[in-house]
Amino acid sequence: MLSSPGSVEKLIWIMKSLRDPDEGCPWDQKQSFATIVPYTLEEAYEVAEAIENQDFEELEKELGDLLFQVIFYAQLGKEQELFDFDSVVEKICEKLVRRHPHVFADNQFADEAAIKANWEAEKAKERQQKTAQSQLSMLADIPRSLPALSQAAKIQKRCAHVGFDWDNIADVFDKVREECDEISAELNAKDVNQQALSEEIGDLLFAVVNLARHAKLDPEQTLRQANQKFTRRFQSIENHFFNTNTDITHASLEELERLWQQAKLNGY
């Protein structure tokens, strides 16, 4: 098997060998579903970073790492007689076919909005089937482990599906302004209430996520891009002090601001 070409079957065999109780790898042997979750999240973000950088050679490698995470979970499931790789594949195939009746059946939808509505309706049925409760919240299965921005966007999308949403982006922007005003009022209070301030800032962040959603932007991706832009510009400032052999900590705010504006002009 070691000399055979790369394939899913070979990867499954490698994973099984790593988990072998007698001849496997000690580190892999002691892992569980819970212990490899952080590695799965890390691999997913590395895939995203490779795409952002348009580094497709790196993306090929990172996708392999992410696929290995799936294989790892499948092996754990097989060992505990919960599921295996084939059943995982079967589940996703069934779900994709069922959620796309306009592709795999004779259903016809008027436009993309109708397709999305059908998709959400199918997801709602799936959520209902997960519990015997008669009143199941449509927000019940949103993972709490999601990054906060992504979680907020998913909450808003679910609520929008039943009509609990702003009609247009101008109203959303007004809500952002309203939240800013409430933060300003709290900051200008004689005695600032930190708990109230925290809630107001949280409301502002939630409103900004809503603004991004209405602008058809992914808030998590948008903030990641802003982080990268800030990092490039700040590193440009750092390079100035490195190249002039001076100490950035001795610079005035005015000088730092001038260098920041220069970095913007230079396209960083």
Side-chain angles (χ1 to χ4, degrees):
M1 180 65 78
L2 279 175
S3 60
S4 65
S7 64
V8 171
E9 289 73 21
K10 181 176 182 179
L11 189 56
I12 292 173
W13 174 80
I14 290 173
M15 183 71 258
K16 182 179 179 181
S17 300
L18 292 173
R19 288 281 297 177
D20 186 276
D22 298 319
E23 300 180 358
C25 169
W27 185 88
D28 291 280
Q29 289 169 343
K30 69 180 183 181
Q31 299 311 307
S32 66
F33 287 111
T35 62
I36 63 173
V37 167
Y39 301 101
T40 307
L41 295 173
E42 181 179 338
E43 297 300 350
Y45 281 118
E46 288 178 354
V47 166
E49 184 174 359
I51 293 172
E52 290 166 0
N53 295 335
Q54 296 189 32
D55 188 343
F56 298 109
E57 182 177 352
E58 188 65 21
L59 177 60
E60 181 182 35
K61 299 174 185 176
E62 298 300 347
L63 287 172
D65 291 341
L66 188 58
L67 174 59
F68 181 70
Q69 296 295 307
V70 176
I71 297 294
F72 209 143
Y73 288 118
Q75 178 62 30
L76 293 173
K78 185 174 184 179
E79 292 170 4
Q80 298 178 39
E81 298 183 349
L82 300 172
F83 54 81
D84 59 17
F85 184 77
D86 287 342
S87 67
V88 169
V89 173
E90 178 60 30
K91 289 288 186 182
I92 187 60
C93 288
E94 185 277 330
K95 181 163 65 176
L96 288 172
V97 169
R98 175 166 41 79
R99 288 186 179 180
H100 295 83
H102 53 294
V103 176
F104 302 105
D106 295 330
N107 298 48
Q108 298 293 323
F109 298 104
D111 50 30
E112 186 176 350
I115 292 173
K116 288 183 178 179
N118 177 75
W119 177 277
E120 291 298 336
E122 286 295 330
K123 289 170 68 176
K125 291 178 185 176
E126 292 166 12
R127 288 194 295 273
Q128 193 66 44
Q129 291 170 357
K130 287 181 180 179
T131 179
Q133 298 177 2
S134 58
Q135 297 294 327
L136 172 66
S137 170
M138 66 176 61
L139 308 180
D141 65 337
I142 295 178
R144 295 183 180 182
S145 58
L146 277 176
L149 294 178
S150 298
Q151 187 182 58
K154 188 170 280 288
I155 289 170
Q156 292 166 3
K157 286 179 182 178
R158 292 276 179 90
C159 293
H161 181 59
V162 295
F164 191 64
D165 196 10
W166 297 100
D167 290 331
N168 59 72
I169 195 169
D171 292 335
V172 182
F173 193 57
D174 287 342
K175 184 64 177 176
V176 171
R177 286 197 181 100
E178 177 186 322
E179 299 297 350
C180 287
D181 290 341
E182 291 178 2
I183 292 172
S184 178
E186 189 60 48
L187 288 172
N188 290 318
K190 184 176 180 180
D191 296 311
V192 176
N193 183 321
Q194 286 299 120
Q195 178 60 35
L197 180 61
S198 174
E199 291 181 9
E200 296 298 352
I201 292 176
D203 290 344
L204 174 61
L205 291 171
F206 194 84
V208 171
V209 169
N210 213 5
L211 182 65
R213 183 176 63 86
H214 276 262
K216 303 189 185 307
L217 296 170
D218 178 78
E220 189 75 27
Q221 185 75 2
T222 300
L223 182 57
R224 283 170 61 84
Q225 291 169 351
N227 290 343
Q228 292 168 6
K229 180 172 66 177
F230 183 95
T231 298
R232 289 194 305 271
R233 290 177 179 174
F234 188 77
Q235 288 174 339
S236 174
I237 294 174
E238 289 179 310
N239 287 338
H240 167 81
F241 289 96
F242 177 79
N243 293 333
T244 58
N245 197 28
T246 52
D247 190 345
I248 190 174
T249 61
H250 295 160
S252 66
L253 181 57
E254 290 75 14
E255 182 180 8
L256 293 173
E257 176 62 22
R258 178 182 61 78
L259 291 169
W260 177 268
Q261 294 300 329
Q262 186 62 50
K264 290 176 65 175
L265 289 173
N266 291 339
Y268 289 104

